[in-house]
């Protein structure tokens, strides 16, 4: 019993530190705008149209929030059974669900909220993107989907990004290990790694063809096995316009979705 409780505590601590992934299963068109707004609010948002693969993924990583479009397909009962099966499976019992629909059906609302006991609401999306976003933001906050993490971070494939920066010692170049809207960890591949406290002016990021120029400060360095020295760089807020931040978040979300698509294909 002690080991079991200890494991549950560790899982809660992990969830609190890293937050919870948010999935939209078979999202209607209006959710595209909503999901973008949620990502702008630094939630980790994904979409998928393969409920079988998602079910397998939830058995591996159950601490996710999934919003199911119950209007998809000819038989709404499929989604009732799908949710019930996942909730009854010991390995995925930590999964939480919400419903999105265009139809405000009182019988369906009662079933999902009262009989099935879903945690994330019965949301009628015909109220429009702005109102739907407002409701979902409240729901995600209530379910602590952000955790203690303030910013979503994406691990970047080495061939997807690079950066350069002019310095007194010449142009320094490298690749980005991971990226958030406020900073990055990166490997410099030419010359010495800048010391903590070094200001990087006119730092140019190349994010799969999207170029951004901003300023950063090296706040620390550490050794990564198989890679070498990794620098943690925080972007200077004054150099990151709203337009640049939108581009950063768009790249982060696209990278995360691509990584998730691969994970789901292997689930």
């Amino acid at each position: 019993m002690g080991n079991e409780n200890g494991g549950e505590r560790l899982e809660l601590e992990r969830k609190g530190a890293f937050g919870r992934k948010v999935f939209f299963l078979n999202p209607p068109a209006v959710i595209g705008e909503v999901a973008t707004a949620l990502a702008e609010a630094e939630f980790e948002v994904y979409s998928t149209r393969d409920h079988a693969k998602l079910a397998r993924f939830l058995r591996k990583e159950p601490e996710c929030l999934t919003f199911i479009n119950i209007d998809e397909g000819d038989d709404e009962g499929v989604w009732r059974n799908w949710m019930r099966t996942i909730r009854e499976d010991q390995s995925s019992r930590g999964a939480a669900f919400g419903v999105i629909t265009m139809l405000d059906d009182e019988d369906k609302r009662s079933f999902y909220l009262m009989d099935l006991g879903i945690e994330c609401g019965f949301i009628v999306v015909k109220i429009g993107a702005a109102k739907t976003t407002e409701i979902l933001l409240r729901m995600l906050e209530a379910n602590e989907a952000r955790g203690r993490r303030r910013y979503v971070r994406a691990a970047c494939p080495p061939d997807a990004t690079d950066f350069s920066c002019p310095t007194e010692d010449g142009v320094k170049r490298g690749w980005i290990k991971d990226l958030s809207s406020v900073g990055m960890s990166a490997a410099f591949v030419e010359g010495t790694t800048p010391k903590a406290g070094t200001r990087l002016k006119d730092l140019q990021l190349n994010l799969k063809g999207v170029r951004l120029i901003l300023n950063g400060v090296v706040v620390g360095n550490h050794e990564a096995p198989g890679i070498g020295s990794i620098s943690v760089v925080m972007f200077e807020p004054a150099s990151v316009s709203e337009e640049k931040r939108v581009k950063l978040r768009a790249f982060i979300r696209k990278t995360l979705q691509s990584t998730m698509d691969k994970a789901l294909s292997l689930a």
Side-chain angles (χ1 to χ4, degrees), residues 9-253:
R9 281 198 303 273
L10 286 173
E11 180 61 25
L12 287 171
E13 289 174 4
R14 185 197 67 79
K15 184 176 73 176
F18 297 105
R20 307 175 75 173
K21 295 177 176 65
V22 179
F23 284 95
F24 288 98
L25 176 58
N26 299 318
V30 68
I31 291 299
E33 184 178 341
V34 173
T36 298
L38 298 179
E40 290 286 328
E42 297 290 344
F43 289 103
E44 190 175 340
V45 182
Y46 301 95
S47 65
T48 182
R49 294 192 174 276
D50 193 320
H51 62 281
K53 289 180 179 178
L54 179 57
R56 290 193 290 271
F57 180 83
L58 291 176
R59 293 186 185 101
K60 297 177 182 178
E61 292 193 31
E63 295 296 338
C64 301
L65 309 178
T66 301
F67 293 88
I68 301 101
N69 173 17
I70 61 169
D71 301 338
E72 183 77 7
D74 299 323
D75 182 7
E76 181 253 330
V78 168
W79 308 120
R80 298 187 182 205
N81 293 332
W82 186 79
M83 276 185 264
R84 188 184 287 114
T85 299
I86 292 173
R87 292 164 70 88
E88 291 173 352
D89 190 317
Q90 182 73 14
S91 63
S92 53
R93 67 178 185 175
F97 296 101
V99 162
I100 52 178
T101 177
M102 291 292 291
L103 306 172
D104 193 0
D105 184 305
E106 195 55 44
D107 289 339
K108 291 179 181 178
R109 179 187 294 273
S110 177
F111 171 80
Y112 284 105
L113 294 178
M114 306 305 294
D115 298 354
L116 197 56
I118 61 172
E119 302 85 352
C120 300
F122 186 94
I123 301 165
V124 182
V125 296
K126 70 178 181 181
I127 55 179
K131 187 64 176 177
T132 300
T133 299
E134 181 184 329
I135 293 170
L136 281 168
L137 283 172
R138 288 202 304 267
M139 198 65 67
L140 297 185
E141 293 286 3
N143 283 277
E144 299 181 335
R146 193 183 283 111
R148 292 193 297 273
R149 174 191 59 192
R150 293 180 61 192
Y151 302 100
V152 173
R153 184 175 62 185
C156 303
D159 60 347
T161 64
D162 60 65
F163 69 88
S164 61
C165 181
T167 71
E168 293 179 353
D169 301 323
V171 176
K172 291 189 177 294
R173 305 180 189 277
W175 57 274
I176 301 170
K177 182 172 179 288
D178 57 60
L179 178 72
S180 77
S181 62
V182 296
M184 67 180 186
S185 62
F188 288 83
V189 297
E190 295 179 9
T192 57
T193 299
K195 296 179 181 178
T198 302
R199 183 170 187 252
L200 304 176
K201 192 173 184 301
D202 296 329
L203 175 65
Q204 179 172 287
L205 310 185
N206 181 16
L207 310 176
K208 273 210 166 179
V210 176
R211 285 182 167 79
L212 299 175
I213 297 177
L214 35 74
N215 301 328
V217 176
V218 178
V219 297
N221 297 294
H222 63 272
E223 293 297 315
I227 297 176
S229 183
I230 295 292
S231 298
V232 178
V233 179
M234 300 302 293
F235 305 140
E236 292 183 352
S239 70
V240 185
S241 65
E242 186 58 29
E243 180 184 359
K244 292 178 183 178
R245 200 174 304 280
V246 166
K247 289 180 178 179
L248 283 168
R249 286 180 174 140
F251 175 80
I252 290 164
R253 186 180 171 204

Side-chain angles (χ1 to χ4, degrees), residues 45-47 154-155 157 160 208 250-266:
V45 182
Y46 301 95
S47 65
K208 273 210 166 179
F251 175 80
I252 290 164
R253 186 180 171 204
K254 185 176 181 180
T255 300
L256 287 171
Q257 183 68 56
S258 177
T259 302
M260 179 56 68
D261 290 342
K262 292 175 185 175
L264 289 173
S265 70
L266 298 172

